[in-house]
Amino acid sequence: MKKYSALRSTLILLVIASSMLFAQRSNLQLDTVKARRFDTGRMWTFDYPPVDYFVQTYDFQPSDEWLEHVRLSALRVPGCTASFVSPNGLIMTNHHCAESIKLRVQQEGEDLDGKSFYAATFEEERKVPRYYADQLVFITDVTNEIISAFESGKTEDEKIKLKDEKITELQNQYNEETGLRCSIISLYNGGRYSLYGYKRYEDVRLVFIPEPSVGEFGGDPDNFTYPRYDLDCAFLRVYDDGKPLNTEHYFKWSSGQMPVDDVIFTVGNPGSTDRLKTVAQLEYLRDYRYAGASYLLNTYFDEMGNLQNKFPDRFEDFEKIRKQIGNSQKSYNNTYKALLDPYLFARKIDFEKKFKTAVLESKTLSEKYGHLWDAISINRKERASYSPKIAAYGMTRFIRPVYYNHAEDLLKIAEEKAKPENERLPAYQDSKIDSTINSIFVDEIDELLEKARLKIQIDYVIKNLGKNDKLVQKLFKNYDGYEAVEYVLSNSKLSSKQQAVEFAKLSSEEILNSGDPFITFIRETQDELIKLRKLAAEVDDTEEVYSNMLGQALFEVYGTNIPPDANFTLRISDGVMKSYSYNGTIAPMYTTYFGMYDRYYSFNKKYPWDLPSAWANPSSEFNMSTPLNFISTNDIVGGNSGSPVINRNAEVVGLAFDGNIQSLSGDFIFTEDQNRCVSVASAAILEALKQIYKAERIYNELQPK
């Protein structure tokens, strides 16, 4: 009864807190909103670890040796994070970081798609082509050299040129001196610069990966949600000179107890954040980058769902596209929503106000940096004046309809035909041009898919240019949506290979003056697009100068009390396991395998909550109560996938693989009240290895010694 009462009290407190927050936001006076201490996050660098903060907050004082051991145990792999977890070069990362490489090691006659892989012996571990693991072994401060070069420039272009030259010079120098792969890392938007030296391991072999249905259990619907039930893990091994690497630095496995009352750390490579941007920069990102990407991804995702409903026989084709874009769709959409949240944005405004005040109150800082906020605001307004046309004319790559590709090919044919025979490229000379024409047009156009893409692209052009724009009226009249699609295609010769081939046989002038809407669109936009992109690049270069200078001011005011923005370099983030309120209830700090099976049966064993046969009927020894996924207040973003979650003893307690939906505001602000890191529990990995996969070799290698 006491346990129930305690849980009930916790629930009541969380619901009250949630209600108070809602009430506060409902009656919000925006000018009274204050920034919070960790709005800029807790992604600390190993250059400037916040030891005093760790002591004050957790009574934990990591030694230099502890920090070095943790740094050298962590790895960066393509797009993700990994870590050494045994003295024999075994490394751990996420399933979703390794699933694509599984097919690279597939042998002739073998089908690993949708299946697990386990190498029962060292000999069976398979080398992954075009793969590597980088270990950060060297860090040195090069701030003075680079800022001196930057400040010696007389103009903005010269400042950037001299800075870039100094960066190249230093990288080449340290590459030669150390034999490492060296990169200059900008911290605090140019307030500080470090040179990182990486040791690269290029012989990496696949050891174990579970089935996608387990590693990505719940698929896109469960992505960025919690509670979760994913075994999102994989193991590889680093080899050196043909043998498993003998490494001194690795994370030992914990005993398996959930660290509910103590600090835990994620160690990984967060991809990018914009938390130190000015308000004007965030407004620009909100109104152009995120608004545009959110619209395109949402529309494309929904359109594929509509096609699935209308054409169920092609469900898998359209589901493949939804899976490809689903992660980005949720990420951009929810970041955009967060940027539109007046309360969160008011916190950013207050942070800028305090920062600006600190600069203006210092005569030295004010003279050097006081003008920057106005300069950046003017700069972003100028950039915004180009953005709608660049967006409309640019033909977004992942939605670009095939008809535009054909139009570009035709324009190339027309360009070559206009030349004398002896000046044409070989493929376009009379003896080969028919073959070239026949090869560049696809045999069959997927009309359902390409019409859907064309519909989205037309609507996006209209959205950016307006219905009354001359080009819009010329190409689409007053049509939009699928009516515009049918109108455009009815006036084009590019809707089939047969028509396109006949079209391509016309003279250069006939092609150029055909009035084909796709040809017309490209001819009337591309020259202007080149000019606009050049202007935009110049404006962005100027913004870079201002941002670098503001970064210097930021570091002078705050020093290392706040972390720099993420840039896919190694960071350590502190946190604790902590629940939060959602959907009228509270989130459990951890889930169990019981929850996985509940969803499996609740959704009638249907995709994406289906399970492979080994999981559908586990042995009686499989412990369903084993913690599976857990949440914590650690600060992570994309790139952190595969980050080890460790305790104060540098032992693995989990493996970070996602954030909840509330974490997606983390691009520009860290909100600890509901932002949660979602991880696979170390105990869940061991239980699956032993009881489901019978992977005794890896299970024993991971066992705490």
Side-chain angles (χ1 to χ4, degrees), residues 189 274-279 281-282 285 352 543 565:
N189 295 342
D274 294 311
R275 297 170 183 175
L276 303 183
K277 297 285 190 188
T278 68
V279 169
Q281 288 171 317
L282 288 177
L285 290 173
E352 180 170 294
E543 184 204 22
D565 268 318

Side-chain angles (χ1 to χ4, degrees), residues 86 110 156 184 223 240 265 407 412-413 425 455 553 568 587 605 638 647 661:
S86 93
E110 186 177 36
E156 290 162 359
I184 301 289
N223 190 25
D240 183 35
F265 301 93
K412 181 64 178 175
I413 291 169
L425 293 172
K455 179 249 184 192
F568 201 45
K605 310 177 186 179
N647 59 23
I661 204 79

Side-chain angles (χ1 to χ4, degrees), residues 275-298:
R275 297 170 183 175
L276 303 183
K277 297 285 190 188
T278 68
V279 169
Q281 288 171 317
L282 288 177
E283 287 173 336
Y284 174 81
L285 290 173
R286 177 193 66 200
D287 297 340
Y288 295 97
R289 179 198 291 179
Y290 284 101
S294 179
Y295 173 83
L296 286 170
L297 287 162
N298 284 344

Side-chain angles (χ1 to χ4, degrees), residues 45-92:
T45 69
F46 282 82
D47 312 53
Y48 313 110
V51 174
D52 291 344
Y53 159 68
F54 290 160
V55 172
Q56 294 166 7
T57 308
Y58 307 109
D59 192 25
F60 173 60
Q61 184 164 6
S63 64
D64 290 344
E65 292 75 19
W66 188 94
L67 289 165
E68 181 183 39
H69 171 69
V70 168
R71 171 170 57 81
L72 293 174
S73 298
L75 297 166
R76 186 171 68 178
V77 294
C80 289
T81 295
S83 60
F84 287 118
V85 289
S86 93
N88 300 314
L90 189 69
I91 66 175
M92 172 179 71

Side-chain angles (χ1 to χ4, degrees), residues 249-303:
H249 297 286
Y250 65 94
F251 295 119
K252 294 182 179 179
W253 216 257
S254 69
S255 62
Q257 294 296 315
M258 297 302 296
V260 294
D261 298 315
D262 200 6
V263 61
I264 52 178
F265 301 93
T266 55
V267 186
N269 300 277
S272 67
T273 55
D274 294 311
R275 297 170 183 175
L276 303 183
K277 297 285 190 188
T278 68
V279 169
Q281 288 171 317
L282 288 177
E283 287 173 336
Y284 174 81
L285 290 173
R286 177 193 66 200
D287 297 340
Y288 295 97
R289 179 198 291 179
Y290 284 101
S294 179
Y295 173 83
L296 286 170
L297 287 162
N298 284 344
T299 308
Y300 195 23
F301 189 84
D302 291 344
E303 199 60 48

